[in-house]
Amino acid sequence: MDDISPIRAKSGTNQEGTSAHNRRVMIEALRLNGALSRADLARATQLTKQAVSNIIEDLESDGLVVALDAVRKGRGQPSTPYRLVPEGAFAIGLHIDRHLTRAVAVDLMGSVLARAEANLPFDEPSKGVEIILELIAGVRRDLAGISAQSEKRLVGLGVAMPGPFGLKDSDDKWMMPAWQKFPLLETLAKGTGLNVGLQNDAAACATAERIVGAAHGVDHAVCLYVGYGIGAGLILNGDLYSGSNGNAGEIGMALLAPAGPGSTPLEHRASLASLYQHLGLNPADSDIYEQMNALVLAEDAKMMAWIEGAAHDLRWSVHLIETIFDPQTVILTSGAPEALARRLVEAMQPLLPSIADRPGRMLPRLQLGTTDPWSIALGAAAAPISRAFDPLFSAILKTSSAPV
């Protein structure tokens, strides 16, 4: 008898012409749950057993799934579980910030196989992109040394950098104006031969949280990212929401007072850039994280004063997020040292009363997420994997509305 424990999966459809969607549904189910039998997959995706069998055969042929040893459950016939092959696909993720860039290579399961970083000249994209292309080439060489099939199975390059994107007036230094005006995606596509996609750093951080962090298995979460700037990655109904222009979640641009004298964007007071300015630190220093960590551990007076002020403003941002999006939880993520991020979360308590302050909560209103500075590059790498393999319900709508 099959195990009847819940399996996380989206539903497939038995309509004709939807095999591509069903294939993605099965891949996602295996990624979320691990090895599953054909009967498990049919039950979880609501597909017929024949449809599941046909798709499994195709995925095996394409080198994306592999059969494991048969397992006997109860008195019934033994069943064969299938799992995803991590080496079935690879992707590169690139994080571009004001003073540095990081690149990682991941497999189909999101495991980091190679990574490298380099300093960037501030606001000089023509020089910076040469450094970036060399960095990507080095990561690809390292990946090829790990898997001989990697070049054939690279599905794309994901890029994450601070937003917002495409504004009419982008001369504000907080927005990396020279990079905004540079033909970055075209240059990277030409230099790497890969399909290239772009998202803001907060969205990439939220993607990383979905894979390996506090947002794994959570359908409604907002990741409040505190980096050089501030942004919010929005996970709504289990999917990442980017908005019509890729600028959803730019909460760092929100004014802390009505427009006019004294109005200040949130990120000008509570971001790491404001901390660097407050402490007189150079963000380009190679040991900047060690410097910040030492000041927190020593409970430096200026550091503690900044934490108190930033926590006051970030507490307001959590209230705003909860009021608008009604998430299951808000996750504070950051490229800052964990000691600093943890102090921020602690200083933000107690949170302001909001619609999220209700009995019977399963998750805390606010929790600390990933503080690994590599998480944005990891999230960027997950984007091409998602584009290639995640279910797209828009495909069903187009299919079902097409003339018969």
PDB file of all heavy atoms in Angstrom, residues 201-216:
ATOM      1  N   ASP A 201      18.435  42.387  -6.427  1.00  0.00           N
ATOM      2  CA  ASP A 201      19.143  41.568  -5.448  1.00  0.00           C
ATOM      3  C   ASP A 201      18.212  41.004  -4.373  1.00  0.00           C
ATOM      4  O   ASP A 201      18.407  39.886  -3.897  1.00  0.00           O
ATOM      5  CB  ASP A 201      20.305  42.337  -4.814  1.00  0.00           C
ATOM      6  CG  ASP A 201      19.941  43.746  -4.381  1.00  0.00           C
ATOM      7  OD1 ASP A 201      18.735  44.098  -4.386  1.00  0.00           O
ATOM      8  OD2 ASP A 201      20.864  44.506  -4.031  1.00  0.00           O
ATOM      9  N   ALA A 202      17.187  41.764  -3.997  1.00  0.00           N
ATOM     10  CA  ALA A 202      16.261  41.271  -2.977  1.00  0.00           C
ATOM     11  C   ALA A 202      15.470  40.071  -3.489  1.00  0.00           C
ATOM     12  O   ALA A 202      15.234  39.106  -2.748  1.00  0.00           O
ATOM     13  CB  ALA A 202      15.300  42.376  -2.552  1.00  0.00           C
ATOM     14  N   ALA A 203      15.064  40.106  -4.762  1.00  0.00           N
ATOM     15  CA  ALA A 203      14.345  38.973  -5.344  1.00  0.00           C
ATOM     16  C   ALA A 203      15.240  37.741  -5.390  1.00  0.00           C
ATOM     17  O   ALA A 203      14.797  36.619  -5.108  1.00  0.00           O
ATOM     18  CB  ALA A 203      13.854  39.329  -6.744  1.00  0.00           C
ATOM     19  N   ALA A 204      16.519  37.926  -5.741  1.00  0.00           N
ATOM     20  CA  ALA A 204      17.452  36.802  -5.767  1.00  0.00           C
ATOM     21  C   ALA A 204      17.656  36.228  -4.375  1.00  0.00           C
ATOM     22  O   ALA A 204      17.737  35.011  -4.193  1.00  0.00           O
ATOM     23  CB  ALA A 204      18.790  37.247  -6.359  1.00  0.00           C
ATOM     24  N   CYS A 205      17.725  37.104  -3.375  1.00  0.00           N
ATOM     25  CA  CYS A 205      17.889  36.642  -1.998  1.00  0.00           C
ATOM     26  C   CYS A 205      16.670  35.824  -1.569  1.00  0.00           C
ATOM     27  O   CYS A 205      16.802  34.802  -0.893  1.00  0.00           O
ATOM     28  CB  CYS A 205      18.077  37.841  -1.081  1.00  0.00           C
ATOM     29  SG  CYS A 205      19.099  37.504   0.358  1.00  0.00           S
ATOM     30  N   ALA A 206      15.470  36.252  -1.986  1.00  0.00           N
ATOM     31  CA  ALA A 206      14.255  35.506  -1.668  1.00  0.00           C
ATOM     32  C   ALA A 206      14.274  34.139  -2.336  1.00  0.00           C
ATOM     33  O   ALA A 206      13.841  33.134  -1.747  1.00  0.00           O
ATOM     34  CB  ALA A 206      13.025  36.294  -2.107  1.00  0.00           C
ATOM     35  N   THR A 207      14.782  34.077  -3.561  1.00  0.00           N
ATOM     36  CA  THR A 207      14.890  32.800  -4.255  1.00  0.00           C
ATOM     37  C   THR A 207      15.813  31.856  -3.500  1.00  0.00           C
ATOM     38  O   THR A 207      15.520  30.660  -3.355  1.00  0.00           O
ATOM     39  CB  THR A 207      15.416  33.016  -5.687  1.00  0.00           C
ATOM     40  OG1 THR A 207      14.520  33.878  -6.387  1.00  0.00           O
ATOM     41  CG2 THR A 207      15.517  31.694  -6.429  1.00  0.00           C
ATOM     42  N   ALA A 208      16.931  32.383  -3.004  1.00  0.00           N
ATOM     43  CA  ALA A 208      17.848  31.563  -2.212  1.00  0.00           C
ATOM     44  C   ALA A 208      17.174  31.058  -0.941  1.00  0.00           C
ATOM     45  O   ALA A 208      17.366  29.900  -0.537  1.00  0.00           O
ATOM     46  CB  ALA A 208      19.109  32.356  -1.866  1.00  0.00           C
ATOM     47  N   GLU A 209      16.371  31.902  -0.311  1.00  0.00           N
ATOM     48  CA  GLU A 209      15.650  31.478   0.894  1.00  0.00           C
ATOM     49  C   GLU A 209      14.666  30.353   0.581  1.00  0.00           C
ATOM     50  O   GLU A 209      14.439  29.459   1.392  1.00  0.00           O
ATOM     51  CB  GLU A 209      14.901  32.657   1.515  1.00  0.00           C
ATOM     52  CG  GLU A 209      15.766  33.661   2.231  1.00  0.00           C
ATOM     53  CD  GLU A 209      16.419  33.103   3.491  1.00  0.00           C
ATOM     54  OE1 GLU A 209      15.833  32.220   4.137  1.00  0.00           O
ATOM     55  OE2 GLU A 209      17.530  33.555   3.802  1.00  0.00           O
ATOM     56  N   ARG A 210      14.069  30.376  -0.602  1.00  0.00           N
ATOM     57  CA  ARG A 210      13.152  29.307  -1.008  1.00  0.00           C
ATOM     58  C   ARG A 210      13.884  27.986  -1.159  1.00  0.00           C
ATOM     59  O   ARG A 210      13.332  26.925  -0.885  1.00  0.00           O
ATOM     60  CB  ARG A 210      12.481  29.647  -2.343  1.00  0.00           C
ATOM     61  CG  ARG A 210      11.461  30.763  -2.294  1.00  0.00           C
ATOM     62  CD  ARG A 210      10.911  31.033  -3.681  1.00  0.00           C
ATOM     63  NE  ARG A 210      10.150  29.900  -4.206  1.00  0.00           N
ATOM     64  CZ  ARG A 210       9.840  29.742  -5.479  1.00  0.00           C
ATOM     65  NH1 ARG A 210      10.255  30.606  -6.385  1.00  0.00           N
ATOM     66  NH2 ARG A 210       9.120  28.705  -5.866  1.00  0.00           N
ATOM     67  N   ILE A 211      15.139  28.044  -1.605  1.00  0.00           N
ATOM     68  CA  ILE A 211      15.885  26.825  -1.885  1.00  0.00           C
ATOM     69  C   ILE A 211      16.466  26.216  -0.612  1.00  0.00           C
ATOM     70  O   ILE A 211      16.304  25.024  -0.343  1.00  0.00           O
ATOM     71  CB  ILE A 211      17.040  27.116  -2.876  1.00  0.00           C
ATOM     72  CG1 ILE A 211      16.482  27.639  -4.198  1.00  0.00           C
ATOM     73  CG2 ILE A 211      17.873  25.861  -3.108  1.00  0.00           C
ATOM     74  CD1 ILE A 211      17.556  28.134  -5.127  1.00  0.00           C
ATOM     75  N   VAL A 212      17.143  27.043   0.185  1.00  0.00           N
ATOM     76  CA  VAL A 212      17.905  26.499   1.311  1.00  0.00           C
ATOM     77  C   VAL A 212      17.631  27.198   2.628  1.00  0.00           C
ATOM     78  O   VAL A 212      18.259  26.887   3.635  1.00  0.00           O
ATOM     79  CB  VAL A 212      19.432  26.570   1.015  1.00  0.00           C
ATOM     80  CG1 VAL A 212      19.798  25.712  -0.173  1.00  0.00           C
ATOM     81  CG2 VAL A 212      19.875  28.016   0.767  1.00  0.00           C
ATOM     82  N   GLY A 213      16.694  28.148   2.658  1.00  0.00           N
ATOM     83  CA  GLY A 213      16.530  28.944   3.860  1.00  0.00           C
ATOM     84  C   GLY A 213      15.176  28.854   4.515  1.00  0.00           C
ATOM     85  O   GLY A 213      14.426  27.882   4.346  1.00  0.00           O
ATOM     86  N   ALA A 214      14.831  29.903   5.243  1.00  0.00           N
ATOM     87  CA  ALA A 214      13.626  29.920   6.067  1.00  0.00           C
ATOM     88  C   ALA A 214      12.345  29.952   5.248  1.00  0.00           C
ATOM     89  O   ALA A 214      11.268  29.674   5.777  1.00  0.00           O
ATOM     90  CB  ALA A 214      13.669  31.124   7.009  1.00  0.00           C
ATOM     91  N   ALA A 215      12.411  30.289   3.953  1.00  0.00           N
ATOM     92  CA  ALA A 215      11.211  30.337   3.116  1.00  0.00           C
ATOM     93  C   ALA A 215      10.934  29.010   2.416  1.00  0.00           C
ATOM     94  O   ALA A 215       9.967  28.896   1.677  1.00  0.00           O
ATOM     95  CB  ALA A 215      11.332  31.446   2.074  1.00  0.00           C
ATOM     96  N   HIS A 216      11.760  27.995   2.656  1.00  0.00           N
ATOM     97  CA  HIS A 216      11.539  26.692   2.020  1.00  0.00           C
ATOM     98  C   HIS A 216      10.216  26.104   2.510  1.00  0.00           C
ATOM     99  O   HIS A 216      10.000  25.933   3.707  1.00  0.00           O
ATOM    100  CB  HIS A 216      12.687  25.741   2.353  1.00  0.00           C
ATOM    101  CG  HIS A 216      12.570  24.418   1.660  1.00  0.00           C
ATOM    102  ND1 HIS A 216      12.742  24.272   0.304  1.00  0.00           N
ATOM    103  CD2 HIS A 216      12.295  23.183   2.140  1.00  0.00           C
ATOM    104  CE1 HIS A 216      12.586  23.009  -0.012  1.00  0.00           C
ATOM    105  NE2 HIS A 216      12.307  22.332   1.074  1.00  0.00           N
TER     106      HIS A 216
END
